[in-house]
Amino acid sequence: MSPAAAPQPLDGAGAKYRTYEDDRNAPSQETLYTTSNGVPMPHPYETQRVGTNGPLLLQDFHLIDLLSHFDRERIPERVVHAKGSGAHGVFTCTKPLDDLCLADLFSKEGKQCPLTVRFSTVGGESGSHDLARDPRGFSVKFRTEEGNWDMVANNTPVFFLRDPAKFPHFIHTQKRSPSTHLTHADDSTAFWDYLSQNPESVHQVLILMGDRGIPYGYRFMHGYSGHTLKLVNKAGEWVYAQFHMKSDQGTKFVTQEDSANYSPDFSQKDLWEAIEKGDCPSWTCSFQTMTSKEAEELWEKQRINVFDLTHVWPQKQFPLREVGKFTLNENAVNYFAEIEQVAFNPSHMIPGIEPSSDPVLQSRLFSYPDAHRHRVGVNYQQLPVNSTRTSYRTANFQRDGNMAFFNQGARPNYLSSIEPISFRERTVDLDKVHGQFTSEAVTFLSEIRPEDFQAPRALYERVFDEGAKQRLVNNMSGHMANCKDQEILKRQIAIFREVSEDLASRMEKATGIKGYDGISNLRFNGTHNGMAAKEGLRTANGMKAKVGSSIASNNGAPEYGMHKPGSRAEAGTNGARCRHCREWLLSVVMARDEPLYKSLIRDTTAYFAYILIATTLGPFQFGFHLAELNAPQDVLTCKSSSLRQSSLVGSFPDCIPMNTTQFSVVTSIFTLGGFIGALTAGPSCNKYGRLLTMRMKTISFVLGSALETFATNIPMLCFGRLISGLGCGAAIVVVPIYIAEVAPPKEKGLFGAFTQISINLGILVAQLLGYFMSKGNLWRIILAVAGAIGLIQLAALFLVPESPKWLAEHRSPQTARQVLQRIRGHKANVDAEVKAWNIDASANDISEEEALLSAPPGSHPAPNPKAAATSTIGIWEALARPTYRPAIIAVVAVMFAQQLTGINSIIMYSVSLLSALLPTTASLLIVFVSALNVVVTTLCAPLSDRIGRKTCILISIVGMGTCSVLLALALNFAIKPLAAAATLVFVASFAVGLGPVPFILANELVGPEAVGATQ
């Protein structure tokens, strides 16, 4: 479809010749040669002179008019996207999107609108080669019944930057040198200098320098919005979205070596000729969407930022939803009028489509129309190719300016009550869509972090086959040959090393330059280095943050709590928020959509219950061993005479003589074993699997308990406690990780508390046994029980599966899905959980967002990737990374607070502590304390999901701190009721937060590669 025609002028002679549409379609045979003011001329080559050999006459208007217009035929070329091609066509809605978007364009199947598309290279000049290695612009002007919607996209899903102020700097590096006036073909120094100082560009670099860097014309490439938008439905509900245009012709590429064999205008020629002969190209249009909560979780759990132009959305989690198709079926009749003058603007949006807070998008909302007003003129939207096709006559109060054609007649140029214009009711509640932002003004510059290398690593290691990798290296090393500074290339290779050691090694071999060992010892002038080994290298340009730092902990991403319900301003109340604050508080209290018992019945299978019991016997052992020597302390150490001799444990002695110091060593050696077990469990469960680690630590329960049971001296008892501690330390690391990975997503907080519940049960059972068996050598039976439970768990673990998530990351995604299906039940839908892994569901499958970037079928052998193993990091490496350091400090601080409140004093020494004050009831009181601990922990398990982890922890700290003071007073002044009450409330407070929450935090605050180290 051609661009919109201008309205008919006033009636009169010759009026039909004064319309745009008539002029556009009229053949030369039906026209008459005239001057610009319409005066007929006999011949265009004639001039007026003083005689046949004299000078020209200034009165020759025809000649002066001709030359002066010729001098002004060129408008300024675009600063970017100067070289381009385009055509007209039609969009057809194939699958309505009315549940997510109120835009009329997507309201019903078969809905159509005309459009114009312009393709382009990015960095080159108007006369540059069509097959230059460069991203391609892909802009579409949808002329809808509600106004024009401009989708200003590229043929790559990412770009070189995410900080808007970098854009002019980067584009300058794509242009000619201000000194030598040379392009990259002769001097690529500026290009690589920029990239080596801004590592977030590496994903786009791999795409650009890979096979997709030179598409085979414009028909064989996809288009991506790159930026995150918002779709709003009629109910005012909104979701984040990204727009994709997938070529129905497939994709093709041209190699660097072959590109010189094509015409400089190959892409223009290919597009024009295909349409001319009826081979009309088409693209299928789709949206990826996610809710605000999913956006927060995507950042918190996977470190993917929906506002980051260098990140992609995993299509396994957020699949494409088709909405329509457009076909280009008409070439431009006049290239300048219809393609050179067409102006696309990201801020041209229709009701139902809104911008997100993506900072680069926000800057483009201003920059694009500003460039058009400079390049084409302030009235550029009056040009037919840019004008709208609405059923209503448009009106506004923009007047005059250069070349004002539609200047709105005699209508008032202000909001008049004398001659009022019409208005349409608001269809989008902007307060609701954009009202979550309430903050102070800050300075911001993004920081390079480990997550920025995840997608490029997947692209290189899982998508590129051997041929593609070699072509990538050849393309980059060839381009680097024109870089005059080796230091730049050393830095760039260091960035490649963060992507893949294989890529860095290949580049070193191809260039003959040894790069740095990663970026931890580099400072960048363009970005903060969140992976710096030293704090002094972290800030960009070595800035000293004396007044304020531009580093943000969330790196500009939507973190938990950003989209608060009711956070928008109240329309019509000058921003009053009181009612919404009350609504927000109610939403926190009533957070769950259904009663807890219903979701538990639905989500919990018998097999999952079995898994939960079998695995949490490990933390049970931790609690049991923690308290096993509490009650029988005096009998064990020979301080109390036996009430009777027992023959149940053979001829072993009734006690092992030891003083207080020696007993402290015996109890503390368990803690040392636990520390060692915890240190080794993280790397072990990441490398060898959660299940194998749990089985190995169960063996230590059996061996350690056997040594303790049959101990006849202090060294043997200490060694047994050490071995038991190894298993217990490992259990409290690996079991919370395992449970977090197998628990139903909506109840992770609830089942995460089962680690602490099991510990408390272990304490209770040990205290109960101690109450009845602190006689003779019966205390050995208490220790033997732990060994028996270890044997039971070892047998039970043979029916427990490996963690599906670990299997998906390290073994077979297909097997992982099958295991998850067994856990959830055969009728359960596990698609959402599988998508959340961000890992392929089959070994032969490649994630869609990366498959779109791989070579097309048949162009070269397709890769057969396996699920990539998640690289894990150790404790010291985790501490060295500024990205993880705050999270690790938070987890350790919570655990430290737990110990400072004195919980272990109650669990391990409470009987001896209270025996002087309560000589006959101390043991029984501790049994009640342990039982209360189990009950409160179980009842409060859902609380962390309802009111938040932080609130639960604060309740615990306040409660335990207060009770510690009261208990100290009770012991000092011998107040028995106060001592009993303080002990009970102390343990109950612990059960609210400091007991269960720390075991949940590590899995939520850091990425999977650092969970083991943090735990």
Side-chain angles (χ1 to χ4, degrees), residues 167-179:
F167 187 78
H169 297 261
F170 171 71
I171 293 301
H172 285 165
T173 72
Q174 307 301 292
K175 301 299 184 180
R176 293 180 179 272
S177 165
S179 174

Side-chain angles (χ1 to χ4, degrees), residues 138 151-159 161 223-229 241-245 288 305-313 356 358 360-361 364:
F138 193 135
M151 170 47 60
V152 189
N154 281 334
N155 75 322
T156 60
V158 296
F159 199 58
L161 51 88
Y224 306 86
S225 66
H227 295 298
T228 296
L229 306 171
Q242 288 210 359
F243 193 61
H244 296 243
M245 298 167 283
Q288 276 183 290
N305 182 358
V306 297
F307 303 144
D308 190 331
L309 190 52
T310 69
H311 289 190
V312 292
W313 296 13
S356 74
D358 176 337
V360 180
L361 171 61
R364 294 177 78 204

Side-chain angles (χ1 to χ4, degrees), residues 701-774:
F701 292 150
V702 178
L703 294 177
S705 297
L707 289 169
E708 291 182 63
T709 301
F710 302 114
T712 57
N713 52 55
I714 294 175
M716 188 174 179
L717 184 60
C718 282
F719 188 58
R721 295 276 292 171
L722 180 68
I723 298 300
S724 297
L726 288 173
C728 291
I732 60 171
V733 169
V734 68
V735 172
I737 296 174
Y738 181 87
I739 291 176
E741 293 174 347
V742 300
K746 291 184 178 180
E747 285 82 34
K748 284 190 183 295
L750 170 64
F751 290 113
F754 269 66
T755 299
Q756 186 61 42
I757 292 172
S758 296
I759 293 174
N760 295 345
L761 277 171
I763 294 170
L764 174 60
V765 172
Q767 300 285 21
L768 274 171
L769 290 174
Y771 181 74
F772 292 106
M773 294 188 177
S774 296

Side-chain angles (χ1 to χ4, degrees), residues 207 210-212 222 224 251-253 459 462-465 468 471 846-857 859-863:
I207 297 172
D211 290 337
R212 290 299 166 90
H222 303 313
Y224 306 86
T251 56
K252 295 181 181 180
F253 68 89
L459 179 62
R462 300 176 56 203
V463 177
F464 289 170
D465 65 9
R471 288 189 292 274
I846 299 174
S847 60
E848 177 69 13
E849 74 277 4
E850 298 295 357
L852 293 176
L853 303 175
S854 63
S859 59
H860 52 77

Side-chain angles (χ1 to χ4, degrees), residues 175-214:
K175 301 299 184 180
R176 293 180 179 272
S177 165
S179 174
T180 65
H181 204 56
L182 297 176
T183 66
H184 291 182
D186 295 296
D187 186 357
S188 62
T189 304
F191 177 73
W192 290 108
D193 184 32
Y194 175 88
L195 299 181
S196 70
Q197 294 289 346
N198 296 273
E200 71 272 19
S201 63
V202 70
H203 194 180
Q204 177 76 324
V205 171
L206 296 190
I207 297 172
L208 175 65
M209 292 295 174
D211 290 337
R212 290 299 166 90
I214 309 179

Side-chain angles (χ1 to χ4, degrees), residues 347-361:
S347 56
H348 286 171
M349 298 181 184
I350 55 179
I353 302 174
E354 293 289 325
S356 74
S357 57
D358 176 337
V360 180
L361 171 61

